[in-house]
Amino acid sequence: MSHRLLYRFPILLFLLGNTLWAQHKNEIVATLDGATKQIRIRQHFTYVNHSDKGQSTLFFNDWNHAYSNKNTALAKRFAEEFNRGLHLAKDRERGFTTIITIVDDKYAGLEWNRLGNRDIIFVQLNEILKPGESIDLFFTYTIKLPMEKFTTYGHLPNGGYNLKDWYFTPAVFDEGEWKLYDNINLDDLYTDITETRINFTFPERLFLATNYRQSNVSRFPGGQQVLLFGDQRKNCEILLTVEDKFTKHVTGMLTVTTDIESNKYDEISQGISINKITEFLNENLGKYPHANLLVSEYDYNKSPLYGINQLPSFIRPYEEQFQFEMKFLKTAIRSFLKETIYIDPRKERWVNDAIGYYLMIKYVDEYYPDQKLAGKLSQIWGIKNFHFAQMDFNDQYTLFSMLSVRKNIDQALTTRNDSLIKFNEKIANGYKAGLGMSYLSAYLGHSEVNNSILEFYKTYSLKDHVTASDFRKLLEKHAEKDISWFFDEYVSTDKKIDFKIKKIEKTEDSITLKIKNKQGTYVPISLFGLQKDSVVSKYWFADIDSVKTVTVPRTTEDRMVLNYDQKIPEFNQRDNWKTLNGFFSSNKKLKFQFFKDTENPYYNQVFYVPVANFNLYDGITPGMRLYNKTFLERPFQYDLTPTYSFLERTMVGKVSFRYRKYHKKTGLYMTNYSFTGSTSHFQKNSRFSTLTPAVSFAWRPNDLLSNRRQFLLFRYRNVFRNVDALLDGQIDTEPDYGVMNVRFTDVDNNILNYSSWSLDAQHSSDFSKIAFEMEYRKLFQSNRQLNLRFYAGKFLRNTTQSDFFSFALDRPTDYMFDLAYLGRSESTGLYSQQIIIAEGGFKSKLENPFANDWIATTNASTNIWRWIEAYGDLGMIKSKGQNARFVYDSGIRLNLVTDYFELYFPVYSNLGWEIGQDDYGQRIRFIVTISPKTLVGLFTRKWF
C-alpha cells in the first residue's frame, strides 16, 4: 500500500457510505516519530447522536494532555499521594496535545476549546445535531508522549512505548448529562463504543502487541506500518517493545497475546496453564467476543497481586505454576471484563471487581483448595505455628479488606473511584466486592450466583451504558431468597458487620443461643456446629436486627461458632463462639508468640519481639517488647517494653495502654484514651520517669482524600527525677513536678501546600504559659519551595528561678520529655549538635538563648538548587527585668528528607561570620530520625 493511499485511508473509508454505521465510527492515521516522541494524528470521527436531545456541543477525552502542566487533575492527584514527580518534571518529560485543526464534513472550521485545565476538549458544532443524526469531524493534531515514569504510560528509557488512551475518544452522554472524567491515573477512561480503524506507522526494530485485531506489519525503509481493527471497542492499546517478547496462544476458546511469563516455569507448561484459565473464563463468563485478548505485564503492574506476592522473586513462597497462574488469571479477568462489560468504571467499578475477584476466589477453591497464604513458608519451623501461616490463600481478601475497616477508613462500594482512599481504590474495595459475591454465594447457593454472572455477561456483553442496576436485577431474578440486604447494606454503605453469641443453653436434643447484632447492620449470619474441628451442622439466620434467640437441634456439637468459614467480612470474630463443655473450657487460652501475627479469634495472643533502643546515657538498651497489636488494628492495645541499660546497669523502658474509639468517618471521628509511662536517664546516674494519663479527640473533613486533620489533646504529665549526688546544686528546680497540658492542632499535610498551626497551654504549680506555632510550606510553579514557621509564647505566671521551664531559641530543655534527644543534657560534642525544630527553631547556638517572659520567632528557608536551601531565622526574646533582644541567624540547609534527615550549616548570626570561626565543626546542626515507626510512616502515608 503506497504512502499516498495510506494518507487517504480515512477519506476512502468515509466514501464507502456513512449509512453503514449505526454507531460511532473512528478512522485514524497515526505516525509515531521516535526521535521527538510525538505521534502525528489525522482522525476522522463519525459521531452519531444516540440521545433523545439535540447536541450543539460535543466533548472528547484528551487524556494525553493530563501530563502537560502542574495544575491538571493528574498533577493534583499525585500531590495528594505525596508524589511531586509531575510537578517537578521538566518540559521534555511531559506529555501534551497540540491541536492544529478541527473541521466538519463541509470542511468548515469548528470552534473548540479546552474545558478549563482539564484533559477534555469541547467542539462547538455549526448546526444542532438532532437525535439519530450523525456528523463527520476531522481532527488534525500531534501528541507529545510523556515519560512512562509517571503512570507507566508513554515512552520508555529503552526505546519502547506503552500507548493507552492516547487519541481523542468521545465522552459519554447518558441520563441527560455528559460524563466528563479527567485522567487521574485510575485506568478508568469512560468513552462510547466505536468501530475503529487505525493505520499506524512506527519506528523500525520495534515489536508491536495490541488488544485490536491487526493485519500483517509491512516494513519500509526506516519504519513499519500496520492496520488495526476494533469492532465494538472502547480504546486501542499498543505496546511497542525492543524485544519480541509477546507470544500468541491460540486456545479452543480464544486467542491470547501475552508477555507474562515465569523463568522457572517452562513454555509448554505455561501454555497448558493459559489453556486451563481460558477454559475457566469461558465456563464462568462466556465466549470472548473479540479476536484477541491482550494480557500484558504492563496491565499486571497497574494492578498486581498485592501482599506476599510482591516479595522479591528469590524468596516468593509459591510454586511456580500457582504463581504464574494467579498472575495471569488476575490480569486476564481484568482485561476480559474491561473489554466486554462497558459499565461506568469510575462510578460503578465495583460490579467488575465483584465478578473478577469472585472468580479468582472460585479458581483457587477449585484448583488449589489447600493453598496457604504463606505458601511454602507455612511448612518452615518457626513460621508454621503462626496463625498467618495457617491461613488459606483466599483468607487474604478478608484480611486486607478488614485492614481498612479496622482503621475506620473503609468506604462503600458505591463510592466513586476518584473519591476512594488509595488503599481502598487499589486493594480493599476490590477485595470487599469479591468477598461480597462469595458471601452471597454461600448464602444463596453457588449455582444461583454462577448462573447470574453467566446471564449478566451473555445479556450485557458489548452493550452500551450498562449499570449496576442491571446486575442487581439478574441477581435478584436467580435468587430464591431476599437479597436486598446485599445491595442496600453491604454494597451501598460502609456499615460494619459484627455479631456475637451472648448466651448458650443446651438440652439433650436442642441448643438455644442468644445472638446479638452488635452493629445493627441488617445482613444474614451463618452458625456452625463443630465437633472438634469438623463441621457437623450449619444454619443461616437473616432476620436479626438487634438480639434474637434461636434454637437448633443438638447432635454431636461441642462448640457453636458464628461465621466459622469466614465468608462474611466481620469486624470482630473474637466473640463468635461458645463451647458446650462448661464455663472454664470456654475461656480463651493465653498464647505467647514471637513477632506480630494475624488475629486468631480463639486465643488471647501476646506477642514478643526483641528490641534495642539508644541514648547517650543508657547506651544500647536491649530488651523484650510484649504487646497485643495484630496486623489488624484493635480498640484496646497494650505495649510493654522493658529494656536493660548496660551503662547504668539497671532496667529502663516504657509501657502504654490505649483504648481507641471510632465514631464515624468524618467530623469527630475518633477518641483516644491512653496511659503511658517511661523511665530512662537524662545524665549519668540520673533517672527520669514519666506517668501520663491522656485523652485526645480527632476530626477529619468530609472528603476522605483530604490530608487535613484536627486534634485536641488533654494530658497530665507527671515527671519524677532521681539525681546523682554529684549533680547536687546543678539542678536548680524541684526534681518532681507535674504539668497539665492542653493542645489543639490543625494540620493539612499536603506536599505542595503544607500548613499547620497549634495552640498549646501548660499549667503547673510554678508557671502557666501559652504558645502558638504555625508552619507553612509551598512548592511554587517555578519549583521553588518556601518554608515558613512562626512561633510565639508568653508566660502568664512564672515563679521559677531557673531557665529549665523557659522558652528556648535553639535547643529546648524538653522538661516534658517529648523530644527524641539522643543526648538531652549535652552542651558540647556531637550529641549537642542534634536539633529538633521546636520553640524558637534557631540553628545557631546564641548566647543567653532562654526567655522566661515571652518569645516570638520566624524561621524561613528556600531552595537554591534541588535539596540545597538557604535558611534564616529572626526573633525577639525577653526575660523578666531585661529589655527585649533582637536575634537572628542564617545559613545553608541540606534538606535531604524533610523532618527526617537534614543538615544545617550556619553562616552569619548575632555571633558574626560563624563560617570563619575556629570551632565551626561544632556549630553544624543535624536532624535525624531513627524511630522505625516514624520512618515507616514516610512510606505508608500515601496509602491512607
Side-chain angles (χ1 to χ4, degrees):
M1 186 178 290
S2 69
H3 292 294
R4 186 180 300 274
L5 185 57
L6 285 169
Y7 181 87
R8 295 177 178 175
F9 174 67
I11 308 297
L12 291 175
L13 286 179
F14 169 68
L15 293 175
L16 291 177
N18 196 29
T19 58
L20 297 176
W21 303 86
Q23 60 182 339
H24 303 315
K25 180 176 101 174
N26 196 14
E27 302 151 12
I28 293 174
V29 173
T31 301
L32 171 60
D33 186 336
T36 62
K37 314 300 182 188
Q38 294 183 347
I39 304 179
R40 298 187 299 274
I41 298 175
R42 286 177 286 110
Q43 181 174 359
H44 168 205
F45 195 91
T46 302
Y47 186 94
V48 183
N49 185 1
H50 294 119
S51 73
D52 57 359
K53 294 184 177 180
Q55 301 290 351
S56 59
T57 305
L58 302 180
F59 292 86
F60 290 84
N61 303 300
D62 177 19
W63 274 23
N64 181 75
H65 205 68
Y67 305 85
S68 60
N69 60 68
K70 306 170 191 285
N71 299 309
T72 65
L74 180 62
K76 293 176 181 178
R77 180 76 172 197
F78 278 0
E80 291 172 349
E81 298 173 354
F82 301 94
N83 182 345
R84 298 189 300 176
L86 194 54
H87 187 95
L88 299 176
K90 298 177 175 61
D91 288 341
R92 60 179 173 79
E93 299 174 327
R94 296 185 180 279
F96 54 86
T97 303
T98 302
I99 300 176
I100 301 170
T101 61
I102 302 178
V103 300
D104 60 17
D105 53 356
K106 299 175 183 177
Y107 298 100
L110 298 175
E111 291 186 15
W112 64 272
N113 211 331
R114 297 198 173 276
L115 202 60
N117 195 43
R118 303 180 65 180
D119 346 314
I120 297 165
I121 64 170
F122 64 89
V123 179
Q124 195 72 40
L125 303 181
N126 291 327
E127 298 178 358
I128 293 179
L129 183 64
K130 297 178 180 178
E133 292 186 347
S134 64
I135 186 172
D136 293 286
L137 304 176
F138 296 87
F139 302 89
T140 304
Y141 57 101
T142 299
I143 64 171
K144 165 67 171 62
L145 296 172
M147 292 186 69
E148 56 80 35
K149 67 178 183 178
F150 304 119
T151 63
T152 73
Y153 159 88
H155 60 90
L156 284 64
N158 67 357
Y161 298 84
N162 295 333
L163 305 183
K164 193 171 189 179
D165 309 326
W166 52 283
Y167 53 82
F168 291 171
T169 57
V172 174
F173 186 84
D174 188 27
E175 298 177 343
E177 63 178 1
W178 289 94
K179 310 292 186 180
L180 304 178
Y181 300 153
D182 291 289
N183 178 5
I184 51 175
N185 194 31
L186 296 179
D187 196 29
D188 59 354
L189 178 71
Y190 190 36
T191 182
D192 270 333
I193 297 174
T194 62
E195 294 218 18
T196 301
R197 308 289 184 266
I198 301 176
N199 177 0
F200 187 64
T201 302
F202 58 101
E204 60 182 344
R205 292 193 296 274
L206 289 178
F207 299 90
L208 181 144
T210 179
N211 60 331
Y212 273 28
R213 180 166 49 91
Q214 60 177 301
S215 68
N216 293 330
V217 175
S218 60
R219 302 178 185 276
F220 59 89
Q224 306 175 71
Q225 293 171 339
V226 65
L227 297 181
L228 305 175
F229 306 90
D231 300 325
Q232 292 183 285
R233 305 294 283 265
K234 290 276 189 172
N235 207 287
C236 179
E237 181 178 347
I238 297 175
L239 302 179
L240 297 172
T241 59
V242 295
E243 297 178 1
D244 189 9
K245 58 181 182 177
F246 280 88
T247 57
K248 185 168 290 189
H249 296 263
V250 181
T251 72
M253 309 302 160
L254 71 156
T255 298
V256 177
T257 300
T258 184
D259 64 339
I260 292 179
E261 59 183 15
S262 172
N263 293 332
K264 298 180 181 180
Y265 191 47
D266 65 89
E267 291 185 8
I268 295 177
S269 298
Q270 290 180 34
I272 294 173
S273 291
I274 290 174
N275 190 69
K276 179 170 74 170
I277 291 171
T278 58
E279 288 181 355
F280 176 81
L281 294 178
N282 186 75
E283 179 182 329
N284 289 276
L285 282 173
K287 181 175 176 57
Y288 188 66
H290 303 304
N292 177 48
L293 178 67
L294 180 65
V295 183
S296 66
E297 189 83 24
Y298 163 77
D299 272 340
Y300 171 76
N301 290 332
K302 296 288 287 186
S303 181
L305 289 163
Y306 288 99
I308 200 169
N309 309 62
Q310 291 185 293
L311 291 172
S313 58
F314 65 91
I315 58 173
R316 285 180 189 162
Y318 303 117
E319 297 293 340
E320 292 299 323
Q321 177 178 348
F322 176 76
Q323 188 168 295
F324 172 82
E325 288 184 10
M326 293 309 298
K327 183 176 180 178
F328 187 90
L329 175 68
K330 179 171 186 181
T331 313
I333 289 177
R334 190 166 180 262
S335 297
F336 197 110
L337 292 172
K338 184 174 60 178
E339 296 278 12
T340 53
I341 300 298
Y342 296 146
I343 203 162
D344 186 335
R346 183 157 296 184
K347 184 179 177 183
E348 297 182 322
R349 191 192 81 175
W350 74 266
V351 174
N352 279 3
D353 281 344
I355 296 172
Y357 282 104
Y358 171 72
L359 293 181
M360 290 186 65
I361 293 170
K362 183 180 180 182
Y363 186 87
V364 173
D365 283 342
E366 287 186 9
Y367 294 105
Y368 298 96
D370 299 322
Q371 178 66 50
K372 296 298 182 182
L373 180 56
K376 291 177 284 188
L377 298 178
S378 62
Q379 303 300 319
I380 297 177
W381 180 87
I383 296 179
K384 63 182 180 180
N385 290 328
F386 280 82
H387 186 250
F388 174 79
Q390 299 163 11
M391 294 174 65
D392 291 332
F393 184 82
N394 281 341
D395 289 339
Q396 68 176 302
Y397 299 103
T398 301
L399 176 66
F400 282 104
S401 63
M402 197 52 58
L403 180 65
S404 178
V405 175
R406 291 287 186 89
K407 284 181 171 290
N408 196 40
I409 58 172
D410 55 308
Q411 295 169 278
L413 294 181
T414 51
T415 305
R416 283 172 55 102
N417 216 21
D418 54 355
S419 297
L420 291 174
I421 294 170
K422 185 172 183 177
F423 182 79
N424 294 337
E425 187 268 320
K426 291 291 187 183
I427 303 175
N429 271 41
Y431 284 10
K432 179 184 177 182
L435 276 174
M437 293 297 289
S438 186
Y439 179 8
L440 197 62
S441 178
Y443 177 62
L444 292 177
H446 301 305
S447 61
E448 284 89 340
V449 171
N450 294 340
N451 291 336
S452 297
I453 292 174
L454 281 168
E455 186 172 342
F456 176 70
Y457 185 83
K458 180 180 179 181
T459 304
Y460 293 104
S461 177
L462 304 185
K463 295 293 191 299
D464 229 343
H465 306 168
V466 183
T467 67
S469 296
D470 300 323
F471 186 52
R472 175 172 185 166
K473 290 174 184 176
L474 282 177
L475 279 172
E476 290 178 333
K477 171 185 172 182
H478 287 272
E480 296 181 357
K481 304 176 185 177
D482 177 24
I483 59 170
S484 58
W485 58 268
F486 177 73
F487 297 96
D488 299 338
E489 299 275 330
Y490 187 89
V491 171
S492 301
T493 75
D494 57 8
K495 294 180 181 178
K496 297 174 177 61
I497 300 173
D498 198 6
F499 292 82
K500 70 174 291 186
I501 299 177
K502 289 191 64 177
K503 185 178 180 182
I504 190 167
E505 296 177 354
K506 60 185 179 181
T507 65
E508 290 185 0
D509 57 359
S510 66
I511 303 170
T512 301
L513 307 95
K514 183 176 287 187
I515 302 175
K516 181 178 181 179
N517 186 342
K518 294 165 65 177
Q519 296 288 337
T521 307
Y522 198 72
V523 297
I525 185 69
S526 57
L527 175 68
F528 291 80
L530 302 183
Q531 184 181 34
K532 295 185 178 179
D533 290 327
S534 299
V535 176
V536 295
S537 59
K538 179 181 179 181
Y539 309 93
W540 280 95
F541 301 100
D543 54 353
I544 304 175
D545 54 3
S546 55
V547 178
K548 183 174 182 177
T549 300
V550 299
T551 300
V552 298
R554 182 179 182 183
T555 55
T556 58
E557 296 90 348
D558 57 31
R559 184 171 42 161
M560 303 301 293
V561 184
L562 297 172
N563 189 24
Y564 177 71
D565 58 359
Q566 298 184 15
K567 293 291 186 182
I568 306 170
E570 200 177 359
F571 181 74
N572 175 23
Q573 298 184 31
R574 296 187 298 275
D575 51 10
N576 274 18
W577 65 281
K578 291 285 186 181
T579 182
L580 298 174
N581 296 329
F583 173 78
F584 290 103
S585 62
S586 67
N587 292 333
K588 295 180 181 178
K589 297 179 181 178
L590 194 62
K591 184 177 182 180
F592 286 89
Q593 188 166 321
F594 176 73
F595 202 65
K596 185 186 293 188
D597 196 4
T598 51
E599 193 170 271
N600 189 332
Y602 304 117
Y603 289 91
N604 286 315
Q605 295 164 290
V606 179
F607 305 110
Y608 61 92
V609 63
V611 295
N613 298 315
F614 173 81
N615 68 59
L616 178 61
Y617 315 108
D618 291 307
I620 297 176
T621 56
M624 190 66 67
R625 180 186 174 204
L626 303 172
Y627 60 103
N628 73 330
K629 183 180 179 182
T630 62
F631 287 120
L632 297 180
E633 188 173 311
R634 57 200 312 176
F636 175 72
Q637 293 181 15
Y638 60 82
D639 198 327
L640 314 176
T641 312
T643 58
Y644 184 75
S645 169
F646 282 103
L647 292 183
E648 293 289 339
R649 298 182 180 180
T650 185
M651 296 299 295
V652 292
K654 57 186 178 181
V655 59
S656 69
F657 301 91
R658 188 205 76 188
Y659 178 77
R660 177 169 292 171
K661 173 67 175 178
Y662 286 116
H663 306 293
K664 51 186 180 179
K665 293 292 189 303
T666 61
L668 177 60
Y669 76 98
M670 182 184 71
T671 301
N672 203 64
Y673 306 91
S674 65
F675 183 85
T676 60
S678 68
T679 182
S680 185
H681 291 83
F682 63 93
Q683 276 189 348
K684 184 177 180 181
N685 200 28
S686 299
R687 178 191 292 268
F688 75 88
S689 303
T690 64
L691 291 176
T692 311
V695 59
S696 63
F697 306 91
W699 290 263
R700 70 187 304 169
N702 291 330
D703 179 11
L704 294 187
L705 290 178
S706 171
N707 293 313
R708 186 181 181 190
R709 301 289 185 273
Q710 294 173 310
F711 305 94
L712 178 61
L713 169 68
F714 296 88
R715 65 172 176 167
Y716 190 80
R717 178 77 92 186
N718 296 279
V719 179
F720 309 94
R721 292 185 293 172
N722 298 317
V723 182
D724 186 359
L726 297 178
L727 297 176
D728 277 348
Q730 297 183 34
I731 303 297
D732 47 11
T733 62
E734 291 296 323
D736 301 338
Y737 53 89
V739 179
M740 180 64 193
N741 182 205
V742 180
R743 180 185 302 157
F744 179 80
T745 303
D746 187 326
V747 57
D748 188 356
N749 191 10
N750 188 294
I751 200 168
L752 300 182
N753 290 284
Y754 173 92
S755 64
S756 69
W757 65 271
S758 65
L759 189 63
D760 186 275
Q762 298 178 16
H763 173 77
S764 77
S765 59
D766 294 325
F767 69 88
S768 298
K769 64 195 297 190
I770 190 168
F772 173 80
E773 181 179 0
M774 181 176 66
E775 188 171 0
Y776 179 71
R777 303 173 192 160
K778 182 174 179 61
L779 185 61
F780 291 94
Q781 295 285 319
S782 63
N783 291 343
R784 179 169 297 280
Q785 180 165 308
L786 177 65
N787 307 291
L788 294 173
R789 178 179 176 271
F790 174 76
Y791 180 83
K794 177 74 172 77
F795 276 94
L796 306 179
R797 178 178 62 91
N798 188 0
T799 63
T800 63
Q801 301 302 312
S802 74
D803 281 322
F804 185 64
F805 298 108
S806 296
F807 297 112
L809 276 178
D810 72 293
R811 189 173 163 92
T813 59
D814 189 30
Y815 55 87
M816 298 280 275
F817 295 94
D818 287 327
L819 307 179
Y821 283 128
L822 299 176
R824 63 178 55 251
S825 299
E826 300 304 293
S827 58
T828 60
L830 177 65
Y831 292 99
S832 71
Q833 295 174 240
Q834 180 190 7
I835 185 173
I836 297 174
I837 304 300
E839 297 192 2
F842 271 53
K843 290 78 185 178
S844 293
K845 298 180 180 181
L846 304 183
E847 297 176 356
N848 302 320
F850 296 103
N852 61 17
D853 190 359
W854 58 264
I855 184 174
T857 63
T858 298
N859 318 120
S861 66
T862 186
N863 57 309
I864 300 173
W865 180 77
R866 293 190 177 180
W867 35 265
I868 301 175
E869 301 179 2
Y871 74 82
D873 304 314
L874 300 173
M876 297 287 292
I877 61 173
K878 184 182 183 304
S879 291
K880 292 183 294 185
Q882 300 179 11
N883 293 327
R885 291 187 294 131
F886 175 68
V887 288
Y888 62 91
D889 69 6
S890 61
I892 300 298
R893 173 193 188 192
L894 302 187
N895 187 7
L896 302 176
V897 183
T898 302
D899 297 334
Y900 294 89
F901 185 46
E902 305 176 17
L903 293 173
Y904 291 87
F905 297 86
V907 174
Y908 191 77
S909 69
N910 290 87
L911 302 174
W913 287 98
E914 297 190 53
I915 198 169
Q917 299 181 16
D918 294 338
D919 59 347
Y920 185 73
Q922 299 178 25
R923 300 171 184 265
I924 298 171
R925 312 299 292 273
F926 66 88
I927 290 176
V928 63
T929 298
I930 60 175
S931 166
K933 181 178 180 181
T934 305
L935 292 173
V936 168
L938 179 64
F939 299 101
T940 60
R941 58 184 179 175
K942 68 180 181 180
W943 288 92
F944 303 105

